[in-house]
Structures are given as C-alpha cells and as structure tokens.
Amino acid sequence: MAEGAAEAPAESGGGGDSGASAPERGVAPIKPQYLTTKEQFHEFLEARGQEKPSQETEAGDPGGNDLVEPEAKRIRLEDGQTGEAAEPGEQPQVQKRARGQNKGRPHVKPTHYDNNRLCPSLVQESAAKCFFGDRCRFLHDVGRYLETKPSDLGPRCVLFETFGRCPYGVTCRFAGAHLGPDGQNLVREEWVRAPPVRNGLDKALQQLLRKRKVRFERAEQALRQLSRDRVPGPSPAAAVPEVTGAESAPGQDSGDTQQALPGPDAGALPSGPVWTRGPLTDEDVVRLRPCEKRKLDIHGKLYLAPLTTCGNLPFRRICKRFGADVTCGEMAVCTNLLQGQTSEWALLRRHQCEDVFGVQLEGAFPDTMTKCAELLNRTIEVDFVDINVGCPIDLVYKKGGGCALMNRSAKFQQIVRGMNQVLDVPLTVKIRTGVQERVNLAHRLLPELRDWGAALVTLHGRSREQRYTKLADWQYIEQCVTAASPMPLFGNGDILSYEDANRAMQTGVAGIMIARGALLKPWLFTEIKEQRHWDISSSERLAILQDFTRYGLEHWGSDTQGVEKTRRFLLEWLSFLCRYVPVGLLERLPQRINERPPYYLGRDYLETLMASQKAADWIRISEMLLGPVPPNFVFLPKHKANAYK
C-alpha cells in the first residue's frame, strides 16, 4: 500500500552500494554504514539462523521476494510439465496453461484439522453421550488421539493462567500445564472467570436467523416511510426491494411464526403489524428521538481504522495499550450477518479494554443494511455504527457497495436515513474523495450526509482509482472541513509520525484516523501523544509480538486450529511490520509512509530479521513465538506484495 512506487518490485529500491551519494526517490534514507546488498543481507540471515532455509525458499525466485509455494505448483508453472516423470525417450507433454489467475494456487483450507480429531463431547467432558452416536466422524478414544497428537508447544497455557480453566482440555497444545495424572482437565476454582469479550452470537438467535424467522418491524416501517417520501431516483417500487428470505411482507403469513429481535427492551416492540390505525401505541415514546440519541464525542481523539484481516481483536488490544482512543471492528458484510454466519459475527466481538468501540457494515441496498442495523442495535453493545463507503476492491464495488455508493446517491440516502431511524447509537460514514482520480465527490456529499443524519464522517484523502499509489490529498480534506461543518470530519491518510499528525490537525479536522501507520508501528499512538520519536529496540518489538500471540491464543483458542490461526494473522501483520525502519538507522526523521526500506543490516540479528521481506523469515519469527510450523502449513498473504502496498 505504498504511495508512488506501490507496485515496484523490491529489487528496484535501494539495496545497492552503500556509498550512494543521493538517496533514491521513494526509498527511506538510511545511514550508509547500515546499507548492504540483497545478497549480503540474506547471507547474513542464513549464517546466523538456527536452521537452514526451507526447500521451497531455496528453489524460489533468486530475487528473494517470492512467496513460499508448494513444490507441485512451482514445477507446473516454471517447467510447464506435470509432476509425473516421462518415460525414457518419450517427449514430455506440455500441460495446457489454464486461463485466468491463480489456477495453480493451492487450496489452503485447513481440512487436516478434522483428521484424528477428538469428539467435542469428550473435549468438554460432557456427561451426555455423543449427539451423533454411531454416525459421529470424530474419535472417541482418548488414548488413540494422544498417540497422534503433536507434542506440546510449551509448559504454560495462556487460557489456564488467565481464566483458571482451559476449555480445550486434552486437545490444547499446552495441555501439560493443566492435565492431572489421569489425564483429567484441572481447574483452579479461585481463578475461574468469564472471558472479557462481548458481542458474541447467541445460538438461539443464530437458529432464528438461519431459519429466517426474525422480524424486522422497525426496519420495515422505516423502509416504507422512505418509499412514501419518494426519494429522487428510482421509483418507490424499486426503492424498497421485494422482501424475500429473511423476512415476510407485512400483512402476510409466511407459514412459520417469526419472532421479534431479542434485547433489553424487546417487549417494547409492537407485536402486531407495524402499519397501525385506530388504537394509539407507545412506539413513539419508547423509541429514542433524534435529539435523544447517544452522543459521540471523540473530538481530537486518535481513531484506529477498521483494518480488514489485520484489524482483529488481538491487534486492537495492542493498539489500545499504546494509546488508541477509538477502535472499530473489521468490515462486516450485512448479508452474512443476517444469515447468522459465525465467522462474520466474530468480527463484531469487543474486548473490555475497548471503551469507545464501533462496528463497520458493508452493503449495497437499503433493506439489508437497515435490517442489519436493527439486528445489531438489539443484540450487541457498540458506541457507534459505521457505513463503509470507501472499500475500493472489485468484489464489493461491482455489487454496488463500498465506493460505488458515492455514485448511487438515491440508494446511499435511503441507507443512511433508514439505518439512522432504527439505531439508538450514532451513525458514522467513511468515504473517499471520489471514484475517479480527478473527479472529487466528497465536498458535495458531506452536506447531504449531514442532513441525512450522519453524526460523523471520516474522509480518506484518495479516490478509488488511486488506491494507495498517490499521497493523500490533505488540501482537499481541508476544503471538505468547511463543507461538512458543523458535522465533525475526521481525516485519514499517510500518518506515520507525530509530525504528520500535527500537520493533519492543522487542516481543521476534528480528529485523525490511523490505518497503515498502526500496522507499521502500533506504538505510533504513543509517539503522537508524547510528541516524540521512539527508537524502539528489537527486543521490545519482539515483546509486542509475544503479547499479540498471547492475545491471539485467548481469542482464537489454544488447540491446533487456534494456534495456526494465531500464526496466520501474525504472519499477515509481519508482512507490514517489515516496512518499519528503526529511528536510529535513519539519516533524517521521520520515515515517510511512501518510502520503502532498502536492504540494510540492523544493529543486531533480530532487528535485521524483522526487516526481511521474505515469507520464510516471517515464518521463522513465528516459530520463535509459537513453535515449529506443521509440515502441511502453507502461508500465502492476502495481498501479493504486502510489504509495498
């Protein structure tokens, strides 16, 4: 996600001779005594490493920036042959190349977790028999399971030490810390406490969502009102899509009895049709009026952006410890939430340390977004709900969501007005400058968003076409502050030091949102609040990673699946952390976010290892924290060149 030279390969940037007179544009200015060549850099790491590089790394691209790929894929792509050996004298058959991208990409879905997996009824020490009986595909023999279980990764279990009990029992990869002499799971009664995480998905609600038995009465009423108001754009019949699946139209019976959403004041929801005539209801008294809504006062605070993949709960805990004031969950797709998908609801979970916390929703249509807002309003605890109108990826844009809403003003207005009517918490919006590079739309949308009911807007200073290949336009953000007034406007883009934050605040914004800067150095919040540059040591950075793994085991679990999920998200984060250049190595301060680091040797081996842009070295760091990787572990970052995006 770097600006200017985002897609440039690593070889083009600076690891040249240490005696270069003028620094190359787009390359971080490192002191000459630390510069080195790419060959010397990797030779140094291999000479000091405890183990030889893996076979995949040695056979990879000599440039040193390729990702670790399975042998079968390399043979197929590089040699153009199948994996089978040809007979002597026989002409090898060249495999026809498949059209499209990533046809040879391996399937990394962790199906191996189901091999020799112990039945959950035994893991949870349930007195009842297995629910599936003879049809159960899991093991019921603990002794056989222990024969194939890998050795423990350490003598201490994070869950046992934190909560007094490990729910994973014998399947925990640190089970030796809490297993008795007979294999029973030990419990420290005086330490037992519930995990401090909220906003989980209730099983009963999940069943109702999957069976489409949940009523969204406030949302349906808001949608009908919007259609009667005849918002400019499509006809009223098209403005409210036909109710299908998750809800039935008013006045019609779907055959199955639908239930109102649970919540603290669920009894206040009307039990009959929303379209009432005659008898007077107390709905207008129970529901909060706009002037009575909770206020979102975050003026001047540091806002951690909702970061897809890397902005998970353990990472947010790290940023909270370093001074982040406001946090927001990863982007959640509203249709997946309405279907009760466990993986999507996991993005809404909130730790007790997150005192000001919001969730971000993505959707393209007023009906699904309004109903999802009502669902979250009744079931989870948040301080605000954010609408994603800045996502640039094609998967979202081509469906009409993300940045596409900036060109669909009628739908955009219905979404904001509808969600604002059903929410008891403030509604915020995150937008970009526009869709095309030289066609800015934000200054026209901001006054409308203020009138539609948005409590706060965050403006990312780039268009969709720019992605991250240009610097953020803070001059335009300064112009938009006046257009949005008196509604508060937060600015976002290219903040990697306290100097960048000070310049951003001089534009008149109400506050700043930090995204990639937090990925490169999560202690950026401390630097901004203390107005200093922190020359953090490699051991201190490793301690941060140790805290992340501990938080990850608490969040994702300490069994094999939880350990590998923690490792995967750690590696995703390391693909950004390698871009950080220590303060003591720079010729001038501060490092800019569009400057990629050249090859350099740090002040110690660990600092050099953390600067590597090879996935094999990221895996080596993960082995320091989580033990050796399993033989079938494959890591492919979500972004092909994370270190430079």
Side-chain angles (χ1 to χ4, degrees), residues 348-363:
L348 311 179
R349 299 183 70 182
R350 172 184 188 174
H351 193 265
Q352 65 177 7
C353 70
E354 298 180 275
D355 47 352
V356 183
F357 174 76
V359 295
Q360 188 181 68
L361 298 182
E362 181 277 321

Side-chain angles (χ1 to χ4, degrees), residues 194-249:
V197 176
R198 292 171 283 177
N199 297 349
L201 176 59
D202 183 70
K203 290 295 181 183
L205 176 60
Q206 185 181 39
Q207 291 291 336
L208 293 176
L209 290 171
R210 289 178 174 177
K211 294 179 179 180
R212 300 176 181 176
K213 290 185 177 181
V214 177
R215 294 197 309 264
F216 300 95
E217 297 178 346
R218 288 176 60 176
E220 290 172 357
Q221 182 184 16
L223 292 169
R224 280 194 298 269
Q225 181 179 350
L226 290 173
S227 65
R228 290 197 304 271
D229 292 344
R230 295 183 179 275
V231 177
S235 63
V240 184
E242 183 182 356
V243 181
T244 58
E247 58 282 329
S248 59

Side-chain angles (χ1 to χ4, degrees), residues 298 300-305 315-327 353-356 490 501 512-514 518 521-532 534 544 551:
I298 58 174
K301 294 188 176 181
L302 299 179
Y303 187 168
L304 174 64
F315 176 77
R316 298 199 303 268
R317 290 181 64 181
I318 294 290
C319 293
K320 283 295 294 183
R321 202 184 72 190
F322 283 111
D325 299 312
V326 184
T327 55
C353 70
E354 298 180 275
D355 47 352
V356 183
F490 268 56
I512 54 176
M513 174 183 282
I514 301 175
K521 52 179 197 180
W523 54 92
L524 173 61
F525 302 97
T526 301
E527 291 187 351
I528 294 175
K529 290 187 174 181
E530 298 181 359
Q531 294 288 292
R532 67 182 178 94
W534 186 353
I544 296 173
Y551 298 156

